[in-house]
Amino acid sequence: ATALPVVINTWAFRKATETAWRTLQLGGSELDAVEKGCGQCEIDQCDGSVGYGGSPDESGETTLDAMIMDGNTMEVGAVADLRHVKNAIGVARKVIEHTKHTLLVGESASLFAVRMGFPYEDLTTQRSLLMYSRWLNQSCQPNYWKNVVPDSSKSCGPYKRLEKVSFEEETISQRNVHNHDTIGMVVIGKSGTVASGTSTNGGVHKIPGRVGDSPIAGAGSYADSTAGGAAATGDGDTMMRFLPSYQAVEYMRMGTDPTVACQKVISRIQKHVPKFFGAVICANTTGSYGAACNKIPGFTQFHFMVFSPLQSQPVEQV
Ligand code: SD4
């Protein structure tokens, strides 16, 4: 038996894994498998944190981040703060295929998507409207602000800047535990070709314009057919500063076992931000794979999915 091909993705998003696997079986490329696998989660609105109808921002809108990377050519296509288009990873794929750019953002990315034939539609659903109105009317937690105070009696802002700023330790809040579950996927084909991708609707009640780690090459995911692939999930505002996916791939290039590579990446971030919420998965070109997460209260186990010729039980955990 051989360990290739392999499909590995963050969280127990089984349908996404199966879709990627089936795509390979039907003769699709590794990039096709990543696109279809992550695209399945966009259709299924996996955990409410991928695709339309989730994570409304402070103005109530759902915006999407996604990327796809070809580990043979080292090309990346990505979209960030994408509005009104559901199939974010599909648009990311068109960025690779039809442009010399790597990353398109905001409404301009939506216009590009429309030119590529994607429907322009409302990403709001009953669920996201309800989340938004609850947030406005009840808690109105300013999840992503610091060193500001409400300018009015309403605690959801507008905010004004505090002149004298105080140091705040990064703490775990509800925002980063379990409402924040990107799909990140690595596919390695029979011949060792690596592709990777991500798709997410980012953080709940984020500040409009916020872009996370998911569409950033080396942060959200990374693929290099001479070493392996990796993908990350978690608090993107923290994780994107460390390029965890790039680092995991570089460790594997040096011969580090995939599990150890993921652990080293997590502990490096943890040294600076002890309570960050996040996990990394990776696989090398022989089909060995691994994962690690930062174990914090409320997040002591991380589930991920693996499909390979050696795998009978796809859900794994660390
Ligand atoms: C983000 N990393 O936008 C994404 C969210 C996520 O598990 O991965 N949650 O920060």
Side-chain angles (χ1 to χ4, degrees):
T2 150
L4 291 175
V6 64
V7 174
I8 177 167
N9 63 261
T10 55
W11 309 108
F13 298 151
R14 179 186 295 259
K15 257 178 93 181
T17 328
E18 288 170 351
T19 300
W21 184 257
R22 203 169 45 245
T23 304
L24 286 179
Q25 302 305 310
L26 292 173
S29 67
E30 293 77 8
L31 277 182
D32 294 335
V34 167
E35 182 188 350
K36 293 276 177 289
C38 294
Q40 186 66 48
C41 254
E42 293 171 345
I43 294 166
D44 297 341
Q45 303 167 280
C46 284
D47 270 6
S49 53
V50 183
Y52 69 102
S55 305
D57 67 13
E58 285 193 339
S59 67
E61 190 164 354
T62 295
T63 65
L64 307 179
D65 292 347
M67 68 164 282
I68 188 161
M69 181 160 186
D70 179 333
N72 280 354
T73 62
M74 304 307 282
E75 287 175 300
V76 173
V79 286
D81 191 28
L82 178 73
R83 291 150 187 264
H84 298 109
V85 179
K86 287 182 178 170
N87 182 202
I89 194 153
V91 182
R93 179 84 185 265
K94 294 286 186 259
V95 173
I96 284 196
E97 281 177 356
H98 295 291
T99 81
K100 293 181 181 169
H101 296 308
T102 292
L103 171 62
L104 297 180
V105 304
E107 274 295 342
S108 304
S110 316
L111 288 179
F112 168 78
V114 170
R115 287 166 74 184
M116 292 292 124
F118 292 82
Y120 188 88
E121 50 198 332
D122 194 356
L123 303 191
T124 304
T125 58
Q126 289 294 348
R127 180 177 176 274
S128 67
L129 265 182
L130 190 67
M131 284 173 81
Y132 180 55
S133 61
R134 278 206 183 126
W135 176 75
L136 274 186
N137 297 328
Q138 294 172 16
S139 61
C140 221
Q141 282 293 323
N143 281 350
Y144 291 96
W145 292 89
K146 65 181 185 186
N147 302 320
V148 295
V149 287
D151 206 4
S152 65
S153 57
K154 262 195 139 257
S155 63
C156 51
Y159 306 105
K160 67 173 194 270
R161 192 164 58 92
L162 277 178
E163 289 305 330
K164 215 170 150 236
V165 300
S166 60
F167 174 77
E168 276 179 72
E169 203 202 338
E170 300 244 12
T171 51
I172 321 152
S173 61
Q174 272 315 102
R175 79 171 161 97
N176 6 25
V177 178
H178 287 304
N179 58 12
H180 213 254
D181 304 339
T182 301
I183 181 152
M185 180 178 278
V186 174
V187 172
I188 308 183
K190 266 200 204 117
S191 58
T193 288
V194 184
S196 70
T198 61
S199 184
T200 188
N201 53 32
V204 182
H205 312 312
K206 61 194 173 190
I207 299 169
R210 182 265 190 188
V211 169
D213 58 329
S214 304
I216 309 298
S221 83
Y222 201 66
D224 184 337
S225 299
T226 65
T233 180
D235 181 355
D237 294 297
T238 295
M239 294 179 82
M240 72 193 299
R241 306 171 201 164
F242 295 89
L243 296 181
S245 296
Y246 175 77
Q247 203 191 15
V249 170
E250 292 311 303
Y251 277 130
M252 291 191 293
R253 187 193 305 285
M254 293 186 288
T256 308
D257 164 78
T259 304
V260 176
C262 291
Q263 287 165 346
K264 284 167 91 111
V265 164
I266 293 292
S267 64
R268 174 128 169 214
I269 305 174
Q270 206 238 3
K271 253 180 233 134
H272 296 273
V273 189
K275 295 176 189 162
F276 87 100
F277 165 64
V280 179
I281 56 164
C282 70
N284 67 23
T285 48
T286 70
S288 293
Y289 61 85
C293 70
N294 191 30
K295 291 193 169 30
I296 52 174
F299 183 59
T300 52
Q301 269 183 347
F302 169 61
H303 290 92
F304 62 102
M305 299 288 302
V306 183
F307 224 125
S308 86
L310 306 179
Q311 220 61 35
S312 52
Q313 278 298 322
V315 186
E316 304 233 354
Q317 62 185 47
V318 286

